[in-house]
Amino acid sequence: MTFSFASGEWKERIRMLLRLPYPSRALRFFPPEFTFRNPVLSLVKRYRSQGKSCGLILLYLEDFHHMFSTYSEARLCALQSRIRQTILELLPSCFRDKDVIGVRQFALDDYGIFVKEQAVCGFDELQRKAQELQKEVSRRLRMHADDAQAPVSLQSGCYIIGPDLENTSAGIQAAYHYARCIATRKLPPHFCLTREHLLDILKQESIFVLAQPILNLASGELYGWEILTRGPQNSPFHTPAELFDMAYQADLLSRFEFLVIKKAFMEISSRAIQEQVFINVTPVSLGHPLFLHQLLETLKQFPAISASQVVLEITERHAIRDFQYIGAVMNACRAHGFRFAVDDAGAGYSSLQSISELVPDIIKIDRSVIAEIDRMSVKQSLLKALLHFADNMNCQVIAEGVERPEELSMLCEMQVHMVQGFYFARPQPLVTDQERVQQLQLVKEKIVGHRHMHPA
């Protein structure tokens, strides 16, 4: 009988909670863990449904793992309670009540405050208020600490959840992740603005591609083109290193590499390129679940390009964590006609392991091996080993970064298959067919003339 009464009472309470059109004020701040739905999430969803942005200020309790292992449970609970109470006491000095969407605790050491877009005039103001709040909360906690308690220190991070991301739950998780990385100094303080800049580049598709010829060393004929990327002029992301390194930190690397493929195909198609085309791809993007689908969908838009014309050049910028999976992806791509090259052989992450595990069609020897190779017998021995390795695997070899005629002489002597570098041509926009023929004729004459002067 008692159980029946209690069960009916709880059912009525649950029905009342689910009928609430707007979470009550009591549930706005640090809602208990046993609620059936997160009221702060509901409030943020409701606010963002109007197409508005909202800010997240995250206060991170430093060295909590040390406190967790040394403090009693009662003491930890008292500390967390004091932090929550201090945050609530200070909020009115930073924001009007109507501008605070809600406050919640993400983990044992993270405290998040969601504010409406009108509460701050951009990211700089949000960051300023976050730092002020963090300093004042830390100061008050130190004032009330007893002699036996280690100094309590909080760090702050903040992020703006824009209207572009439809899924609010995903937006909150991303904002929490980035704000925590800022608070723990894994990302720079202005990372939010940087990521917004990158998103704008993606939206405007404001990158462009250059091409550098790859030449057959025996004949001097053109074998193919490597497609190279540049970001917007006069921006921090003009160079590929800055662009792709920050895109990786912002979880946008694959989106940028998909855009590069699209831009490359546009240039190849519009310039009627018939030779092989090398396009860089990182293991991060190659391992993306939609990589092959995205590649084929892009290829469909350019019927003049065949898959057998495209060589996907796996860069060593990021380590390959699962060779078996990447190998399976490569096999699926090869079934459609695509081929693969391993870039930066002789440098970067475990180049020889990458070559032996992935068995590429082409091996590209890094500039670090080619530079001054005519003067360094150790580099000559390394190149001989790589050439022997490639011959046993039936791979072709391209020497990258050739900049001096003496380097070319040594590569001719060692019978390297193909070459690429500033000595022949710098990366530049693809030009008309007639201009290309003229440029490549000059390059061919340089190789042929060099062979006549320095016969093997």
Side-chain angles (χ1 to χ4, degrees), residues 148-164:
Q149 181 176 306
V152 175
S153 177
L154 294 171
Q155 295 298 329
S156 63
C158 52
Y159 195 80
I160 293 177
I161 309 172
D164 54 302

Side-chain angles (χ1 to χ4, degrees), residues 102-316:
V103 184
R104 63 167 290 191
Q105 190 165 344
F106 282 94
L108 295 175
D109 51 356
D110 293 316
Y111 306 84
I113 303 154
F114 293 91
V115 296
K116 299 177 181 178
E117 63 181 3
Q118 68 263 25
V120 289
C121 302
F123 178 80
D124 288 339
E125 178 68 7
L126 182 68
Q127 186 181 50
R128 185 185 67 80
K129 291 196 173 187
Q131 291 172 347
E132 286 181 358
L133 185 61
Q134 166 250 315
K135 289 177 182 177
E136 185 59 22
V137 172
S138 296
R139 188 186 70 82
R140 291 200 182 188
L141 290 173
R142 284 194 292 269
M143 285 176 56
H144 293 91
D146 56 50
D147 295 335
Q149 181 176 306
V152 175
S153 177
L154 294 171
Q155 295 298 329
S156 63
C158 52
Y159 195 80
I160 293 177
I161 309 172
D164 54 302
L165 191 61
E166 184 178 348
N167 188 315
T168 295
S169 297
I172 289 175
Q173 285 300 315
Y176 166 62
H177 167 75
Y178 295 131
R180 197 176 201 276
C181 285
I182 292 168
T184 55
R185 303 179 187 87
K186 295 176 182 176
L187 288 174
H190 280 76
F191 173 78
C192 180
L193 294 179
T194 300
R195 193 171 190 273
E196 287 299 316
H197 190 178
L198 291 172
L199 286 169
D200 187 59
I201 292 173
L202 285 171
K203 184 178 179 180
Q204 302 296 328
E205 297 189 351
S206 52
I207 64 169
F208 59 98
V209 295
L210 305 176
Q212 188 176 36
I214 298 170
L215 306 155
N216 185 303
L217 193 50
S219 64
E221 298 291 342
L222 176 67
Y223 176 78
W225 303 89
E226 179 177 356
I227 301 297
L228 301 163
T229 310
R230 298 292 183 270
Q233 292 279 6
N234 304 317
S235 85
F237 306 116
H238 179 64
T239 65
E242 290 294 328
L243 177 65
F244 291 110
D245 286 350
M246 188 52 68
Y248 175 69
Q249 291 187 61
D251 299 315
L252 298 172
L253 180 58
S254 294
R255 290 178 62 179
F256 268 98
E257 293 196 305
F258 290 151
L259 177 58
V260 170
I261 291 172
K262 177 183 175 181
K263 287 277 188 173
F265 285 2
M266 288 172 64
E267 285 295 306
I268 296 165
S269 180
S270 64
R271 305 297 182 186
I273 300 295
Q274 299 298 315
E275 297 84 20
Q276 298 290 295
V277 178
F278 291 67
I279 302 176
N280 290 294
V281 60
T282 61
V284 174
S285 296
L286 190 59
H288 193 287
L290 296 178
F291 177 79
L292 179 56
H293 170 78
Q294 188 73 26
L295 183 62
L296 294 174
E297 287 299 308
T298 307
L299 190 65
K300 285 180 185 177
Q301 301 174 33
F302 304 94
I305 304 173
S306 67
S308 60
Q309 190 181 351
V310 178
V311 180
L312 298 168
E313 190 172 319
I314 305 174
T315 68
E316 289 276 88

